[in-house]
């Protein structure tokens, strides 16, 4: 069985790179639903149904452990998948998201005021606030939706993205930890760090997910034992175009991108 990584587009490749660097021995299948990108602006019903289709697809590709790298899909669909869909459709498959590991990391330095920057759908779900409060009920949480940031990054317009980052950061007051709650924001992490005081911890998923998955597999030997170790990576998308190939090849120069649905 392989490790599947799912995202609404190619932003999740940044996290995939962290997995491959931390654990190059496994076989990975990445699936980006570029046909329906961006999820952040869609209704919860649409996000749920696209995510279910993507998970079914990764299961058909022989993935035994699937990580939803997309914050929006994790926010809207993970609970349903884990509690309802997977137990009846494929009980031996494990599906994980990015929110819990990110929350753990944000709270690791005893933060008392945490900011969350994410897509409108993720903010609407309040998943970060809910999970942060489960661990630390008196925590002050500030959630800001950044609808314009993904489109700016997607169109490779980093000048606009930097201006937007400054605007959005201005909406947080005295936070000691900032969660970058979207696959695309690690690409701007240096900018966020410049905009915030040095004492504010910027939690970037590409820096934590590699270790978190490694730790998970160490603790779940029953899953680890079923994973194949051929050191391969396949990148599949629901709609292929030159722009996506360019982005993917920046991160993985020797991997070809295939269209699959
Ligand atoms: N992958 C999404 C996320 O992490 C960002 C892109 C989108 O809106 O689909 O929330």
């Amino acid at each position: 069985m392989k490790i599947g990584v799912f995202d609404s587009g190619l932003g999740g490749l940044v996290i995939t790179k962290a997995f491959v660097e931390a654990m190059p021995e496994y076989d990975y299948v990445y699936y980006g639903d570029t046909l329906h990108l961006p999820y952040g602006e869609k209704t919860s019903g649409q996000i749920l149904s696209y995510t279910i289709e993507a998970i079914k697809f990764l299961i058909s590709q022989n993935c035994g452990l699937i990580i939803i790298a997309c914050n929006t899909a994790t926010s809207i669909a993970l609970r349903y998948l884990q509690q309802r869909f997977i137990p009846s459709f494929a009980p031996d498959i494990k599906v994980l998201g990015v929110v819990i590991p990110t929350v753990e990391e944000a709270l690791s330095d005893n933060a008392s005021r945490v900011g969350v920057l994410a897509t409108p759908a993720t903010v609407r779900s309040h998943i970060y606030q809910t999970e942060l409060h489960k661990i630390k009920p008196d925590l002050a949480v500030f959630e800001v939706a950044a609808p314009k940031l993904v489109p700016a990054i997607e169109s490779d317009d980093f000048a606009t993205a930097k201006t937007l980052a400054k605007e959005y950061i201005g909406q947080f007051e005295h936070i000691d930890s900032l969660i970058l709650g979207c696959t695309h924001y690690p690409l701007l992490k240096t900018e966020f760090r410049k905009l915030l005081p040095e004492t504010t911890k910027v939690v970037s998923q590409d820096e934590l997910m590699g270790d978190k998955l490694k730790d998970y597999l160490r603790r779940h030997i029953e899953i680890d034992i079923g994973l194949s170790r051929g050191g391969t990576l396949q990148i599949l998308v629901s709609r292929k175009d030159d722009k996506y190939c360019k982005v993917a090849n920046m991160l993985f120069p020797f991997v070809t991108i295939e269209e699959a649905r």
Side-chain angles (χ1 to χ4, degrees):
M1 298 286 245
K2 300 175 184 178
I3 298 179
V5 184
F6 166 61
D7 182 34
S8 54
L10 291 183
L13 281 176
V14 178
I15 289 173
T16 309
K17 193 159 177 77
F19 293 151
V20 172
E21 277 173 7
M23 297 159 290
E25 66 274 27
Y26 294 103
D27 293 307
Y28 297 88
V29 181
Y30 181 91
Y31 180 57
D33 188 11
T34 45
L35 183 65
H36 299 116
L37 179 79
Y39 279 18
E41 312 290 320
K42 303 267 188 312
T43 65
S44 299
Q46 287 171 314
I47 296 164
L48 183 62
S49 86
Y50 296 149
T51 305
I52 291 172
E53 286 313 308
I55 298 302
K56 278 189 192 165
F57 174 70
L58 281 171
I59 292 171
S60 79
Q61 299 299 303
N62 203 24
C63 294
L65 170 65
I66 299 170
I67 296 100
I68 302 184
C70 178
N71 286 257
T72 305
T74 299
S75 305
I76 305 297
L78 184 64
R79 181 182 293 239
Y80 175 82
L81 286 165
Q82 287 177 333
Q83 295 181 355
R84 307 286 292 275
F85 179 75
I86 290 294
S88 60
F89 184 80
D92 296 336
I93 308 296
K94 196 83 193 161
V95 181
L96 306 173
V98 279
V99 170
I100 305 278
T102 307
V103 161
E104 286 168 0
E105 184 63 25
L107 294 179
S108 63
D109 290 342
N110 208 20
S112 60
R113 296 172 65 84
V114 175
V116 180
L117 193 66
T119 64
T122 300
V123 168
R124 191 173 69 227
S125 77
H126 296 300
I127 190 165
Y128 275 104
Q129 179 174 287
T130 306
E131 295 300 335
L132 284 161
H133 280 158
K134 275 187 197 162
I135 302 178
K136 202 171 177 190
D138 59 344
L139 188 79
V141 181
F142 306 90
E143 295 174 298
V144 169
K148 295 182 192 158
L149 213 42
V150 166
I153 298 172
E154 279 289 319
S155 42
D156 212 13
D157 183 358
F158 278 85
T160 303
K162 284 180 186 178
T163 310
L164 289 167
K166 195 170 175 186
E167 271 173 40
Y168 289 127
I169 288 296
Q171 296 181 35
F172 293 107
E173 275 178 40
H174 310 300
I175 47 170
D176 45 28
S177 190
L178 173 68
I179 292 176
L180 301 182
C182 171
T183 44
H184 289 53
Y185 304 167
L187 297 170
L188 280 178
K189 65 183 175 187
T190 315
E191 196 58 28
F192 284 116
R193 287 188 171 129
K194 271 195 226 153
L195 290 166
L196 286 158
E198 252 178 55
T199 47
T200 305
K201 173 173 173 156
V202 174
V203 182
S204 191
Q205 291 167 339
D206 59 318
E207 294 171 2
L208 63 103
M209 285 303 294
D211 284 347
K212 291 283 186 188
L213 185 60
K214 205 171 189 172
D215 181 52
Y216 178 87
L217 290 173
R218 213 170 12 230
R219 288 183 288 109
H220 291 87
I221 190 83
E222 75 287 359
I223 295 170
D224 189 50
I225 214 154
L227 295 173
S228 57
R229 286 157 166 83
T232 62
L233 168 66
Q234 256 179 298
I235 301 179
L236 308 174
V237 290
S238 49
R239 184 168 65 88
K240 185 174 158 176
D241 80 19
D242 289 350
K243 186 178 86 177
Y244 297 132
C245 296
K246 208 176 121 195
V247 176
N249 283 140
M250 263 159 45
L251 289 159
F252 296 102
F254 305 110
V255 181
T256 51
I257 293 96
E258 295 159 63
E259 190 169 278
R261 275 185 246 164

